[in-house]
Amino acid sequence: MWQRYCRLKLSLSLYHCLPWQLGAEQKMAFAGQLERQWRLEAAIREHAERRGIRADQKSIMTAQYVLRTFFDDEQSWNEALARAGIDEAGRLQALTHEAILTATLENVASLAPNVSEREIDEWYQHNTHRFQQPEQRLAHHLLLVIDDTQVDCDRVTVTGRISALQRRLQIDPRRFHRLANRFSECPTAMDGGKIGWVGRGVLYPTLDMLLFSLDANDISPVVESPMGLHVLWCEAIRPAGELPKAQALAQIRQQWQEKLRQQYQRRWLAEILG
């Protein structure tokens, strides 16, 4: 049954369409690609069985989302499975197969050698210019939404309400967390209106321009975006500059180690296919 699921998976991955939607030339190419994929997955499963590699329930459930993301809704997903001849029992078998493949490849990748700390440090010393950190602002906002269909939510009323809040915040910015938590109509209200550290170009243009004109601990005037009316608080400023060396080395280490893992996997896959 996993072979049917594999056929579905490979067609979506390579051609972004279902197997029965392939054109004549695509079908010819796909036949060879599918045969190779079947041989590869069978070899991986054989290795997994020899090593006693199993998949836990969480991995099996997670496996379905890889293919599920190709479909707009549950109905089209289920229809594709039915058209492919995959019933509920077959789906579970196929997902177990997929989870075992993932676990096996992860096991293989874990055998890759570690990157050289000396080489990482040397590369960093010659490439410090690559690790520049743009200026960032620690931003918070309080949002009130304008909705003329709701009582007391028209533009005039909402403008008056947020202007009063802005005046209170200008007197003491330390009130921001409490007032945002109580009055803001954005999900960030749960965290006192905190947006977090942001660079230029992340927020709506009007908010972005205003935020980066503020000094540390400044409260903005009321500003409008497509979401509604806002008051911003620039809690702190992180100047542009080099990323701290420890963070830069961690980034390099992670990228290089992942590259080694992928190379090790590819060599192993080539070996088991002969």
Side-chain angles (χ1 to χ4, degrees):
M1 188 62 70
W2 65 262
Q3 290 90 342
R4 296 178 184 179
Y5 193 88
C6 178
R7 178 171 175 260
L8 200 62
K9 174 183 67 177
L10 193 64
S11 178
L12 287 167
S13 300
L14 295 179
Y15 299 98
H16 300 283
C17 69
L18 297 164
W20 45 89
Q21 296 171 334
L22 294 171
E25 291 186 6
Q26 290 175 325
K27 286 180 179 178
M28 291 179 62
F30 183 63
Q33 293 163 337
L34 182 59
E35 191 276 332
R36 183 182 185 279
Q37 187 69 21
W38 280 344
R39 287 194 297 113
L40 179 62
E41 293 191 10
I44 295 172
R45 280 298 299 270
E46 183 181 343
H47 175 87
E49 289 170 9
R50 289 200 306 269
R51 297 292 189 278
I53 297 173
R54 298 287 182 267
D56 57 34
Q57 191 62 33
K58 182 179 179 181
S59 300
I60 293 171
M61 295 306 297
T62 301
Q64 68 179 317
Y65 297 111
V66 176
L67 209 57
R68 173 65 179 81
T69 55
F70 283 95
F71 298 87
D72 294 330
D73 52 54
E74 196 71 19
Q75 181 179 346
S76 57
W77 162 238
N78 288 327
E79 287 174 354
L81 290 173
R83 176 76 180 268
I86 303 170
D87 58 16
E88 194 60 37
R91 171 158 49 173
L92 179 59
Q93 182 193 87
L95 293 177
T96 301
H97 170 81
E98 292 292 316
I100 291 173
L101 295 183
T102 300
T104 304
L105 291 174
E106 180 60 32
N107 177 265
V108 169
S110 69
L111 302 175
N114 291 325
V115 295
S116 164
E117 292 297 324
R118 179 181 59 80
E119 290 179 3
I120 289 175
D121 192 71
E122 287 179 357
W123 191 88
Y124 169 76
Q125 296 300 336
H126 290 91
N127 293 275
T128 53
H129 62 282
R130 295 173 180 261
F131 297 94
Q132 297 300 310
Q133 181 173 266
E135 180 185 343
Q136 293 180 312
R137 304 290 175 105
L138 182 53
H140 304 250
H141 83 138
L142 189 155
L143 167 70
L144 295 187
V145 176
I146 298 169
D147 185 353
D148 291 324
T149 67
Q150 300 294 321
V151 177
D152 293 333
C153 291
D154 59 276
R155 177 175 291 275
V156 173
T157 303
V158 172
T159 299
R161 190 180 302 139
I162 199 167
S163 296
L165 289 168
Q166 191 269 350
R167 288 192 293 271
R168 292 174 66 183
L169 290 168
Q170 273 197 316
I171 295 170
D172 186 1
R174 292 174 299 178
R175 299 175 177 176
F176 204 99
H177 293 92
R178 180 168 55 84
L179 294 181
N181 182 263
R182 182 176 176 185
F183 296 107
S184 183
E185 296 174 287
C186 176
T188 58
M190 299 294 292
D191 195 21
K194 184 176 181 179
I195 299 173
W197 287 102
V198 295
R200 293 182 185 273
V202 174
L203 304 178
Y204 285 111
T206 51
L207 302 182
D208 186 83
M209 186 180 301
L210 184 55
L211 176 64
F212 280 86
S213 71
L214 299 175
D215 291 328
N217 207 37
D218 270 1
I219 296 293
S220 78
V222 175
V223 60
E224 186 169 357
S225 82
M227 295 174 64
L229 300 179
H230 307 252
V231 175
L232 300 175
W233 174 32
C234 177
E235 183 180 358
I237 297 174
R238 183 183 285 162
E242 282 189 9
L243 194 69
K245 182 178 179 180
Q247 291 184 35
L249 292 178
Q251 285 185 11
I252 300 168
R253 186 179 300 108
Q254 181 180 13
Q255 292 169 3
W256 285 20
Q257 191 64 47
E258 183 57 32
K259 186 176 180 179
L260 278 178
R261 285 164 54 88
Q262 292 174 2
Q263 290 173 344
Y264 196 86
Q265 278 183 345
R266 284 195 293 269
R267 286 197 299 269
W268 180 80
L269 290 170
E271 288 173 5
I272 66 170
L273 272 180

